[in-house]
Each structure stands twice: as C-alpha cells, then as structure tokens.
C-alpha cells in the first residue's frame, strides 16, 4: 500500500508534514495539480524576477500553518477533534483551487465575475462527491457555517493563515524584506475566547501590528507597485480586446479551452464550463499572447508585445486623479505617433486603493489576562493600528513609451 503520509521540503517553512491520507489524495488530484501551472503573483516576475512561485506552493504552505495553529490551540487547552483538524486543513488546502490563469486579473474576464471563492466551492463540492462526503466538514468551515467560528477565521479573516503564508512567501520570492513576518510568533499568540472566536493574547500586540504594517508595505511596494498594477491591467485589456474582436467575427489563434471562454456568452457556470476551467492555466494565456503579437489588430498586437517583450507602457503615479487635459494630450500624441485614430485604447488611468486594517469587518481582538476582549485599534498599548484604518489611494496614468518625445 502506498505511503501517503509524506514530507514536503518547502523553501519558506522547511519541512511540511501531510498528517492525513485524505490531504495527500486531494494534493494528487488533477484539480489541485493544476495549481502548479498557476502563478501566485501573476506577472510580478516582470518586476521581481524571483516571483515565479505558484498557487501550489502557497496552498501547501497555508495548510502547514493551519496545522501549526491548531497544535498551538490544542496546547492552550482548546479541544479540537481529529475530524476538525482534517476539515480545517482540507479547507485551507483547497481555498485557492478555483483560481484561474493569472488569478485575480482574469477572474471577471473568463468567468463573468465568478469570484475564485465561488469556483473553489464548486470544485470542493465536486471533490466531495468523488471522495464520498469526506470533505463535508471542510466545506462547512470554508463557508463559515461550522458552529465553531474560529475555524473559519483561521481560513478567512484579517489575520488568517492564508495571509500569513502569502506575505512571508511573496516576501521571500520577491526579495522584499519588509514583508518578512514572524509567522511562528504570530501563531504562538493565537487563542480562542469563550465565545469560540479567534483572538490574540494581548502580549502579542506588536507582532500583529508588525504583520499589518508588513502587509501594507507589501501592497504598495509589490502588489500595487505601479508596474505590477500596469501588468495586471494589461492582461485584462488583452483578453477584453480579444473577446471584442471575436464578437466582431475575427478569428484569433488560441488553445481549445481558452477559445471556449473567449466565445462564451454570459451565463451561470455549466458542467462544461467547470470541466474546461479546470483545464485552463497560465500557459494558455501566455501562448495566446505570443501568437497575438502578430495580430492585424494594432491594439491587441501592441498590448501583447508590451507583455511578452516586456516593453511596458510608461506610467506616472499620483495621489490625485489626473487632469482630463493631460489625458487628452496623451491620446492626441498617441494617435499622431502611430498614425491611428483609436489612441484612447492605449491611454488609461488605473486606480488602486487600500485600507490596511478594517476595524468594522472582522476586527482583531486581543485577549487580556483577565479574560476580557479588546479591539486591536482601541488597545492602549497599540502604536500603529489606530493610524491604519484610513484608506490610501494611488492613481497611475499609463501611455505608450514611444510618445515620450512628443510630450511637451
């Protein structure tokens, strides 16, 4: 009989144990193996060359941190059954199983706003049928329907093991040390209060503040870096343009599964949609962009060359919205330079906004020694949390690099 209790060597967390056979069965399943071909950070490797890690890496890391968190809680006297442990580990293992190619950027383009969590749930239900109901508790936990709330908070909240893994992992692979959080310290401070909710021992407050600031720096330095935002925007524009051209009767070369989604009309997900979606990965989109560089459509060809040859448009960043006159001038110069009349397709303002800590939605609670709970931003020991509740917005203006010489 095959040994399924494997150990995996992970560059971020070291050795990761697979303590239950069902976890191994899910990891081996084609739905999960597909995550090896889906990048964790889209086109970030155009800016940070090391960022080539995958959703597969991340899901295993998050599962490992879940195991560590549950062990910590057990040591603090919280009763967790083997079934609950399995359920929580399965739920976090599969939390990203519904991610499409290039993740967030293309969700709405390919599956009409079918958010990856909806798709993850659909695929979890399919797997649950295949594994004779062994994933039922995991699905309850994932949806927040399980009676012990802290399991869902470990999967999805402002301080969940998903975030703990992707911050540490993305920091490691991008080389941006500001995101390097101490996951072990944070997990060691986790606790469950009488109401069955996840809390943090009060003495861990600065580890949590450090986590929140690390996340904020990672967003502005990495995920919302002006070139990252630009690359993600280009991907959406490329597929939008391809869908538009196909709707005009123009044929475009692409793999069977990508072609299916480019032709697909808006509707709820059918069995065929799901079947084809699980066959789709980053390679389909990269292959298409390589081919579309030669398209007769100037806009599509131009965008694809930008990405494939990494000759990206120029960007200006501002905390304010850009003046319409500046945008009009960029469009006029684009039309003149390329001898086209649809230059407005190549000039765009992109907006990114971030609230580092949301005090309304699932706030983080600190557990005092006397058993009382305090909201993080209201603690008298907090240094930064009170300042991190405000929204920051950045505006990025993109336009063809070629027109720089024409700009006055």
């Amino acid at each position: 009989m095959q040994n399924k209790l494997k150990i995996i060597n992970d560059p971020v967390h070291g050795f990761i144990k697979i303590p239950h056979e069902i976890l191994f069965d899910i990891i081996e399943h084609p739905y999960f193996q597909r995550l090896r071909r889906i990048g964790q950070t889209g086109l970030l490797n155009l800016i940070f060359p090391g960022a080539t890690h995958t959703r597969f890496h991340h899901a295993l890391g998050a599962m490992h941190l879940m195991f560590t968190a549950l062990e910590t809680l057990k040591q603090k006297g919280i009763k967790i059954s083997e079934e609950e442990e399995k359920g929580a580990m399965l739920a976090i293992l599969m939390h990203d199983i519904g991610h499409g190619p290039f993740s967030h950027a293309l969700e709405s383009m390919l599956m009409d706003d079918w958010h990856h969590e909806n798709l993850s749930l659909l695929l979890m239900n399919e797997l649950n049928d295949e594994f004779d109901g062994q994933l039922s508790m995991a699905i309850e936990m994932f949806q927040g329907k399980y009676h012990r709330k802290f399991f869902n908070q470990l999967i999805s909240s402002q301080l969940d093991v998903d975030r703990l893994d992707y911050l540490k992992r993305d920091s490691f692979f991008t080389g941006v040390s500001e995101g390097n959080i101490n996951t072990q310290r944070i997990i060691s401070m986790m606790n469950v209060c009488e109401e069955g909710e996840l809390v943090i021992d009060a003495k861990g407050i600065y580890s949590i503040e450090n986590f929140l600031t690390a996340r904020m720096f990672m967003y502005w330095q990495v995920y919302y870096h002006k070139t990252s935002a630009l690359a993600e925007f280009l991907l959406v524009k490329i597929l939008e343009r391809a869908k538009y051209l196909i709707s005009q009767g123009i044929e475009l070369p692409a793999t069977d599964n990508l072609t299916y989604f480019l032709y697909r009309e808006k509707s709820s997900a059918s069995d065929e949609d799901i079947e084809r979606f699980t066959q789709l990965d980053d390679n389909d989109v990269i292959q298409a962009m390589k081919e579309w560089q030669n398209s007769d459509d100037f806009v599509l060809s131009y965008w694809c060359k930008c990405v494939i040859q990494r000759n990206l448009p120029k960007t200006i960043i501002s905390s304010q919205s850009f003046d319409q006159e500046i945008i009009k001038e960029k469009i006029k110069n684009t039309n003149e330079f390329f001898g086209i009349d649809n230059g407005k397709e190549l000039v765009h303002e992109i907006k990114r906004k971030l609230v580092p800590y949301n005090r309304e939605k699932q706030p983080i609670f600190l557990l005092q020694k006397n058993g009382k709970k305090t909201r993080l931003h209201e603690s008298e020991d907090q240094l930064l949390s009170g300042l991190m509740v405000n929204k920051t917005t950045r505006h990025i203006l993109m336009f063809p690099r070629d027109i720089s010489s024409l700009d006055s």
Side-chain angles (χ1 to χ4, degrees):
M1 193 175 143
Q2 187 186 9
N3 170 27
K4 297 181 178 182
L5 304 177
K6 304 279 187 191
I7 291 178
I8 295 166
N9 195 349
D10 176 61
V12 176
H13 303 303
F15 291 111
I16 291 178
K17 288 192 190 112
I18 300 176
H20 303 290
E21 294 197 353
I22 180 70
L23 294 167
F24 180 80
D25 292 334
I26 294 296
I27 291 167
E28 290 284 275
H29 194 281
Y31 285 180
F32 193 83
Q33 289 292 320
R34 179 183 74 100
L35 298 181
R36 289 181 184 272
R37 301 185 298 281
I38 302 236
Q40 170 69 10
T41 49
L43 287 173
L44 261 188
N45 64 330
L46 293 178
I47 301 103
F48 303 96
T52 52
H53 55 303
T54 64
R55 293 263 157 205
F56 183 85
H57 277 136
H58 161 61
L60 292 176
M63 177 194 77
H64 167 73
L65 292 182
M66 176 64 87
F67 180 70
T68 314
L70 297 179
E71 288 298 301
T72 300
L73 294 176
K74 282 184 206 168
Q75 282 163 9
K76 292 187 182 182
I78 312 298
K79 295 252 182 295
I80 294 169
S81 71
E82 188 177 323
E83 283 311 303
E84 286 174 326
E85 177 180 288
K86 259 191 235 178
M89 290 181 76
L90 281 165
I92 197 69
L93 184 67
M94 296 186 292
H95 78 286
D96 274 352
I97 207 166
H99 265 292
F102 293 104
S103 301
H104 302 285
L106 303 185
E107 249 165 42
S108 55
M109 284 308 309
L110 294 177
M111 290 292 272
D112 317 325
D113 293 322
W114 267 82
H115 193 267
H116 67 266
E117 287 182 3
N118 295 336
L119 282 163
S120 291
L121 196 55
L122 269 175
L123 297 180
M124 280 185 199
N125 283 317
E126 294 229 340
L127 288 167
N128 198 26
D129 291 343
E130 204 173 309
F131 288 99
D132 304 323
Q134 288 186 70
L135 313 184
S136 299
M137 190 184 286
I139 291 167
E140 266 186 56
M141 288 174 172
F142 180 78
Q143 290 181 287
K145 291 180 176 173
Y146 192 66
H147 66 280
R148 302 180 81 187
K149 193 175 172 186
F150 71 89
F151 285 110
N152 177 258
Q153 289 172 300
L154 284 169
I155 297 160
S156 178
S157 67
Q158 290 200 82
L159 184 59
D160 55 35
V161 295
D162 174 25
R163 289 182 185 196
L164 290 180
D165 181 80
Y166 78 64
L167 283 178
K168 194 167 178 70
R169 188 169 300 279
D170 296 350
S171 153
F172 177 90
F173 282 99
T174 56
V176 175
S177 58
E178 285 80 357
N180 187 12
I181 50 170
N182 187 342
T183 51
Q184 295 306 315
R185 167 73 179 164
I186 294 169
I187 286 174
S188 73
M189 290 294 124
M190 288 180 171
N191 211 329
V192 174
C193 66
E194 285 176 2
E195 295 84 12
E197 292 187 22
L198 190 69
V199 288
I200 297 295
D201 290 334
K203 62 184 177 184
I205 182 167
Y206 300 127
S207 302
I208 303 308
E209 292 206 316
N210 186 36
F211 157 76
L212 291 171
T213 48
R215 184 169 177 269
M216 180 175 70
F217 285 131
M218 283 295 282
Y219 266 86
W220 289 123
Q221 224 171 317
V222 177
Y223 312 126
Y224 289 175
H225 180 292
K226 63 189 177 79
T227 318
S228 311
L230 168 68
E232 188 172 300
F233 186 79
L234 287 181
L235 276 176
V236 173
K237 284 284 155 203
I238 285 168
L239 281 188
E240 246 177 33
R241 188 74 184 171
K243 277 189 119 166
Y244 165 74
L245 294 171
I246 276 175
S247 74
Q248 301 300 299
I250 295 166
E251 282 190 19
L252 293 174
T255 61
D256 281 355
N257 289 310
L258 183 58
T259 301
Y260 174 84
F261 284 104
L262 291 173
Y263 276 94
R264 181 178 172 274
E265 296 297 323
K266 280 193 182 298
S267 64
S268 57
S270 67
D271 288 348
E272 186 179 1
D273 288 345
I274 295 163
E275 179 55 37
R276 285 184 174 272
F277 182 80
T278 59
Q279 306 288 321
L280 206 56
D281 57 50
D282 291 2
N283 298 318
D284 296 82
V285 178
I286 292 169
Q287 176 64 29
M289 288 191 291
K290 281 166 67 179
E291 299 255 10
W292 297 344
Q293 291 179 99
N294 309 315
S295 167
D296 293 337
D297 179 70
F298 179 79
V299 174
L300 183 64
S301 154
Y302 180 80
W303 285 146
C304 290
K305 283 176 185 161
C306 284
V307 174
I308 296 294
Q309 299 171 19
R310 202 203 178 279
N311 182 14
L312 297 165
K314 202 161 170 50
T315 48
I316 313 172
I317 192 161
S318 163
S319 55
Q320 307 293 321
S321 211
F322 285 90
D323 189 294
Q324 283 307 306
E325 289 309 309
I326 295 176
I327 295 175
K328 278 182 189 157
E329 189 185 347
K330 299 282 183 216
I331 293 171
K332 177 172 140 305
N333 289 346
T334 301
N335 283 332
E336 279 176 20
F337 184 87
F338 292 112
I340 55 176
D341 58 8
N342 57 350
K344 68 176 192 306
E345 297 289 345
L346 305 185
V347 179
H348 291 278
E349 183 175 338
I350 308 166
K351 196 164 132 186
R352 288 284 181 270
K353 55 181 185 289
L354 177 71
V355 178
Y357 176 63
N358 187 332
R359 60 186 172 192
E360 310 303 329
K361 191 181 171 206
Q362 285 206 326
I364 296 169
F365 283 99
L366 300 172
L367 185 65
Q368 307 297 338
K369 277 219 165 87
N370 61 8
K372 283 211 171 110
K373 282 193 318 183
T374 318
R375 286 169 180 260
L376 175 66
H377 64 281
E378 290 169 354
S379 162
E380 51 193 36
D381 293 326
Q382 65 89 18
L383 300 173
L384 298 164
S385 312
L387 303 170
M388 296 178 71
V389 296
N390 302 317
K391 184 162 70 181
T392 331
T393 308
R394 298 269 188 283
H395 298 265
I396 302 161
L397 181 64
M398 57 170 275
F399 52 91
R401 193 167 287 276
D402 321 66
I403 67 166
S404 303
S405 56
L406 300 179
D407 287 344
S408 51

